[in-house]
Amino acid sequence: MPQAHNCQSCGMSIESGTYCPYCVDATGQLQPFEERFERMLQWLRQREPTLPRADAEQRTREYMRKMPAWRDHPALKAR
């Protein structure tokens, strides 16, 4: 049985590959930054519905900066 590791885009535990099924498109390619950012933002806002959007955006950026797939993305370096 393969040992679990984490998706390099969102951190979800996966058994194989680089990215989890939520972070890739139908062809298996990593989704664009803007799409992943919005989906991760929505996930956070579902978990914490009273969190203001601006705070959720900041926390999402901070989290994504720690992910290997995104840490060097220009959208995260500019802020």
Side-chain angles (χ1 to χ4, degrees):
M1 178 176 201
Q3 186 170 354
H5 61 281
N6 295 334
C7 172
Q8 291 188 14
S9 172
C10 72
M12 180 176 159
S13 180
I14 53 177
E15 290 185 16
S16 65
T18 305
Y19 307 116
C20 74
Y22 298 106
C23 290
V24 296
D25 63 19
T27 66
Q29 298 297 308
L30 182 63
Q31 294 169 351
F33 172 82
E34 295 77 15
E35 185 174 348
R36 283 309 322 141
F37 177 79
E38 190 60 35
R39 288 183 180 202
M40 291 173 79
L41 175 67
Q42 292 307 316
W43 178 87
L44 177 58
R45 294 192 77 203
Q46 285 179 346
R47 292 182 58 92
E48 298 184 40
T50 61
L51 185 66
R53 182 174 174 99
D55 293 345
E57 287 178 0
Q58 180 180 349
R59 285 179 48 187
T60 300
R61 282 188 198 93
E62 289 171 2
Y63 184 80
M64 290 180 82
R65 283 186 187 105
K66 298 174 186 174
M67 295 291 98
W70 307 116
R71 66 176 157 229
D72 295 325
H73 194 279
L76 297 175
K77 289 186 176 269
R79 297 177 186 256

